[in-house]
């Protein structure tokens, strides 16, 4: 199609003059990169300047086209557009600056233009091109974007279809998978010395079902153990006759009439494999149970993992008991040992996880090239040169602790996922990846201008590590769909790794395959022992209430900044790490800019320390300094209260006290991958505000169970809060309605019980996929990723401590 025809295809003929005028308004931004939000703001200004009506602003062909433009590069003679015409689907266009000609270009041409925009001297030079897509030829590919994030359902259908189409081959694979499992020398499910092939197995399975059907279903496994063993059936089918029959019947039906629901239900019922030993990797930050929250790099991820361990242990104990096995699960969180630990336990090698029977924190130190222990905390942006040695030491320690290999390895964040990848490679164990947050979408243009940021952030290493773990892991868990593939109009976090460039280092043509069935959305839950509605008074402790009322609203206390002239006013409350992305200073400025909010409310926030000298993190120091500057600038004394970080065991009561005062919780982050504090606040009964950028979009139902706001500018935060309190003044029931809807939303959709069940089922099902087909098919990808690790990541990381 000619360039002229491309314009006609996209822009209505009667609007092409307006399109040219709009292009002229963009031309004023020569030499710049513009993102979607910038483009829409320019279009809005254009419509206001030329008196275009609301319908043109929202429904014209120009508006519909621009809404799906993610990036624009403005040059002197032309501009280049990244057009996201569908979720994870892109076209790249070059538009002449007079608006007359539009032609499609390749991703390679697009990345070349981005490179030369940043580094003109690089023009015509060769690049390292990274493309993982050819190595996914072993994997089925999802066609419908609605199935992205539900990979296991797609994979189940694929596997059951394979069994149906090739019953002899796949029933043999299924039989081989069943008979390979054992636990500490005890054969599980099938004794292959008695049942040697799948035909015999099928016959014996039918006979055993018939024999057991005549027995009382409540009889324990021990009553039929001898009979079953004589026929070749080992423990693991169930703890009662009824459960054994159910498990066997599911398998019998699956062999006869393959169905994806039967496959998932069967594998979830039997120890195939038995998941009882789980290693969870989380190296950075201060990983502990007391006095760590609010320290640099330490926040929601620690809470997530500790709650995850408790929930997984409970689920595993219950599900393993139902199989008829007497096995105590063991979960170990592997993190970094920090000798200079201050008032934390991060210098202890072993630490029992509260409210577990066999959950542990195992700490391994970082070591330098001379194998000397690094005694002090290191920012998550600077841990990269230590991770390979950490992975080797952690692997040896895990083998010792488990007295063998783990059944599942779970990585967390970029560094933990890289360590999980190295450990999985070494031990040949199934690997799960959990990003929590991908910095690439948080720090704008951090790929393009990586060299300017490298000294402080080392994004070249982080983004390489992300690609390695994404592609090598067996399955990936995201808390929300948008974390993977965004929304109709906005790019997802994982999606941002598809096509990008780091000028002078590499160009990524395909960094991740979103249509491989490895992505699964499983939102975490909330610890209901700590968080519950403020109005359930019987569960609250008066001594704790009085203590925290004094700290939140009382007279001046050492270690707390500010007193409140009118403590009875509804509080605006937030709690987070003190870094730029969490944007607490943005909330302070929003409060300072709004006379209405100051007349109506107080601002209370909990973040790190109130003293700059107590911080060892440059970004945190800058945010603390800025907070004081804003408080003075807007003269907020008497209207603001600043607490240091609050112990997790007390946060639930703090939320409830804020709710007693008819306050609100605000998560003002510029971007939030998920938002555990949002769940906690909602379950406590607080009307909750979260950013419309990230995971909160899938938690909060706007203006029903909470509020989504544009956090990019303080005045927009202020506007959202002002509107809420105005509604409360007009309608006495408004606060209560939002509060109750928030409580119900969390209780219905965000529970650790559901999370744990799904995670373990994923480990089993992807274990079968790995055994039956993917392990052999992934070899080419593994070699490609290994080459990237050794010749790109490893060499760059090594230079940091030479």
């Amino acid at each position: 199609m000619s360039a002229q025809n491309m314009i006609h295809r996209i822009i209505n003929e009667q609007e092409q003059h307006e399109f040219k005028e709009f292009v002229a308004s963009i031309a004023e931004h020569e030499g710049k990169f513009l993102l979607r939000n910038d483009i829409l703001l320019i279009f809005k200004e254009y419509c206001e300047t030329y008196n275009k009506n609301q319908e043109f602003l929202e429904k014209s062909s120009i508006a519909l086209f621009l809404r799906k433009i993610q990036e624009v590069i403005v040059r002197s003679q032309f501009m280049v557009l990244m057009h996201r015409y569908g979720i994870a689907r892109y076209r790249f266009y070059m538009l002449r600056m007079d608006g007359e000609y539009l032609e499609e270009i390749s991703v390679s041409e697009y990345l070349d233009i981005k490179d030369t925009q940043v580094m003109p001297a690089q023009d015509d030079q060769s690049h390292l091109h990274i493309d993982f897509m050819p190595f996914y030829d072993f994997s089925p590919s999802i066609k419908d974007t609605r199935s992205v994030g539900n990979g296991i359902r797609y994979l189940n259908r694929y596997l059951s279809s394979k069994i149906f189409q090739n019953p002899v081959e796949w029933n043999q694979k299924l039989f081989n998978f069943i008979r390979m499992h054992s636990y500490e020398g005890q054969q599980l499910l099938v004794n292959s010395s008695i049942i040697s092939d799948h035909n015999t197995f099928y016959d014996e399975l039918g006979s055993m079902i018939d024999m057991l059907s005549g027995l009382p279903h409540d009889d324990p496994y021990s009553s039929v153990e001898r009979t079953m063993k004589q026929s070749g059936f080992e423990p693991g089918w169930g703890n009662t006759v009824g459960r054994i029959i159910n498990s066997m019947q599911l398998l019998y039906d699956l062999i006869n009439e393959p169905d994806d629901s039967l496959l998932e239900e069967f594998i979830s019922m039997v120890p195939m494999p038995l998941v009882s030993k789980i290693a969870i990797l989380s190296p950075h930050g201060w990983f502990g149970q007391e006095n760590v929250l609010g320290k640099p790099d330490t926040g929601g991820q620690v809470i997530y993992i500790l709650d995850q361990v408790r929930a997984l242990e409970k689920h595993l104990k219950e599900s393993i008991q139902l199989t008829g096995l007497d096995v105590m699960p063991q979960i170990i969180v592997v993190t970094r040992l920090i000798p200079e630990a201050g008032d934390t336990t991060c210098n202890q090698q072993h630490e029992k996880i509260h409210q577990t029977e066999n959950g542990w924190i195992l700490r391994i130190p970082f070591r330098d090239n001379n194998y000397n222990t690094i005694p002090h905390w290191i920012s998550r942006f600077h841990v990269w040169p230590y991770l390979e040695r950490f992975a080797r030491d952690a692997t040896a320690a895990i083998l010792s602790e488990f007295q063998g290999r783990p059944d599942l390895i779970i990585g967390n964040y970029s560094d933990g996922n890289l360590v999980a990848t190295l450990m999985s490679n070494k031990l040949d164990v199934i690997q799960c990846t959990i990003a929590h947050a991908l910095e690439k979408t948080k720090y704008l243009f951090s790929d393009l201008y990586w060299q300017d940021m490298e000294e402080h952030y080392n994004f070249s290493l982080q983004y390489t590590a992300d690609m390695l773990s994404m592609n090598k892991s067996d399955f990936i868990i995201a808390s929300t769909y948008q974390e993977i593939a965004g929304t109709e109009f906005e790019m997802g976090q994982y999606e941002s790794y598809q096509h990008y460039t780091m000028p002078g280092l590499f160009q990524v043509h395909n960094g991740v395959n979103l249509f491989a069935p490895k992505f699964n959305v499983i939102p975490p839950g909330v610890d209901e022992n700590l968080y519950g509605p403020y109005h359930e008074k019987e569960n609250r402790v008066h001594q704790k209430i009085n203590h925290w009322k004094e700290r939140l609203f009382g007279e001046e206390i050492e270690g707390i900044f500010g007193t409140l002239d009118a403590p009875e006013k509804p509080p605006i409350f937030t709690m987070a790490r003190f870094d730029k992305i969490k944007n607490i200073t943005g909330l302070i400025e929003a409060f300072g800019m709004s006379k209405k909010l100051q007349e109506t409310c107080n601002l209370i926030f909990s973040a790190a320390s109130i003293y700059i000298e107590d911080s060892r993190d440059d970004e945190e120091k800058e945010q603390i300094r800025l907070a004081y500057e804003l408080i003075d600038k807007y003269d907020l004394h008497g209207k603001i209260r600043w607490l240091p970080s609050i112990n997790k065991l007390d946060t639930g009561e703090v939320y409830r006290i804020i709710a007693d005062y008819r306050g609100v919780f605000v998560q003002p982050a510029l971007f939030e991958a998920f938002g555990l504090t949002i769940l906690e606040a909602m379950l406590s009964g607080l009307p909750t505000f979260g950013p419309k950028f990230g995971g909160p979009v899938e938690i909060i139902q706007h203006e029903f169970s909470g509020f989504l706001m544009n956090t990019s500018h303080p005045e927009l935060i202020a506007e959202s809060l002002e509107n809420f309190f105005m509604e409360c003044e007009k309608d006495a029931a408004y606060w209560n309605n939002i509060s109750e809807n928030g409580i119900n939303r969390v209780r219905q959709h965000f529970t650790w019980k559901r999370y744990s069940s799904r995670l373990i089922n994923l480990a089993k099902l992807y274990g079968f996929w790995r055994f039956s087909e993917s392990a052999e098919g992934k070899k080419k990808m593994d070699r490609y990723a290994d080459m990237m690790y050794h010749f790109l990541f490893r060499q760059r990381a090594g230079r940091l401590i030479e």
Side-chain angles (χ1 to χ4, degrees), residues 49 115 226 503 675:
T49 301
D115 274 357
R226 184 176 180 181

Side-chain angles (χ1 to χ4, degrees), residues 229-245:
K229 285 193 170 187
Q230 287 174 343
S231 297
F233 293 100
E234 298 291 344
W237 293 95
N239 62 337
T240 65
V241 168
R243 189 168 179 87
I244 295 167
I245 294 171

Side-chain angles (χ1 to χ4, degrees), residues 585-602:
T585 50
L587 177 59
I588 296 171
E589 186 159 17
F591 185 71
M593 294 169 66
S594 171
K595 296 300 181 185
K596 176 66 175 175
L597 288 179
Q598 292 177 48
E599 291 169 2
T600 308
C601 313
N602 291 310

Side-chain angles (χ1 to χ4, degrees), residues 467-535:
M467 283 192 292
L468 290 170
S469 58
M470 289 173 193
N471 288 287
K472 285 185 65 90
S473 59
D474 294 282
F475 65 100
I476 296 172
I477 288 177
S479 297
T480 62
Y481 175 86
Q482 69 78 35
E483 184 180 338
I484 305 167
T487 65
E488 182 182 358
F489 297 112
E490 295 179 342
M491 188 185 301
Q493 292 182 61
Y494 280 98
E495 185 183 354
S496 72
Y497 283 79
Q498 278 190 296
H499 315 297
Y500 70 99
T501 181
M502 301 186 84
L505 184 64
F506 55 60
Q507 290 182 356
V508 178
H509 289 214
N510 284 288
V512 63
N513 180 7
L514 297 189
F515 297 95
K518 64 166 60 183
F519 289 93
N520 296 274
V521 176
I522 315 180
V526 182
D527 185 348
E528 295 194 47
N529 293 316
L530 292 179
Y531 305 100
Y534 72 99
H535 51 65

Side-chain angles (χ1 to χ4, degrees), residues 543-667:
Q543 184 176 357
K544 183 175 281 192
I545 293 173
N546 293 334
H547 169 78
W548 278 102
K549 274 188 177 180
E550 183 63 26
R551 290 186 67 79
L552 291 164
F553 304 103
E555 298 299 319
E556 187 172 346
I557 300 174
E558 184 178 356
I560 294 177
F561 178 85
T563 56
L564 302 174
D565 294 340
E568 72 281 358
K569 289 181 179 179
I572 297 168
F573 177 66
T574 194
M575 177 171 56
R577 295 192 314 275
F578 230 149
D579 64 33
K580 188 185 300 183
I581 296 299
K582 292 300 183 183
N583 198 35
I584 289 178
T585 50
L587 177 59
I588 296 171
E589 186 159 17
F591 185 71
M593 294 169 66
S594 171
K595 296 300 181 185
K596 176 66 175 175
L597 288 179
Q598 292 177 48
E599 291 169 2
T600 308
C601 313
N602 291 310
L603 176 61
I604 302 175
F605 63 93
S606 167
S609 171
I610 67 172
Y611 305 113
I612 294 178
E613 58 269 21
D614 287 348
S615 175
R616 289 188 285 180
D617 181 75
D618 291 341
E619 188 171 305
E620 182 180 73
K621 287 179 180 179
E622 174 58 24
Q623 290 297 299
I624 294 173
R625 185 201 60 75
L626 180 57
Y628 282 119
E629 183 180 292
L630 291 168
I631 291 168
D632 290 337
K633 175 182 177 180
Y634 293 104
D635 190 20
L636 299 178
H637 301 282
K639 304 170 186 176
I640 200 164
R641 184 88 157 177
W642 176 358
L643 288 78
S645 298
I646 299 170
N647 187 296
K648 181 177 186 290
L649 295 176
D650 294 321
T651 54
E653 193 53 57
V654 170
Y655 287 130
R656 288 187 286 269
I657 291 170
I658 300 295
D660 290 336
Y661 280 70
R662 312 288 282 183
V664 299
F665 178 79
V666 179
Q667 174 30 300

Side-chain angles (χ1 to χ4, degrees), residues 26 44 47-48 70 173 355 406 462 493 497 561 627 728:
I26 292 185
K44 184 178 180 182
C47 290
E48 290 171 353
Q70 301 297 308
K173 286 184 177 182
Q355 301 167 50
Q462 183 159 8
Q493 292 182 61
Y497 283 79
F561 178 85
C728 289

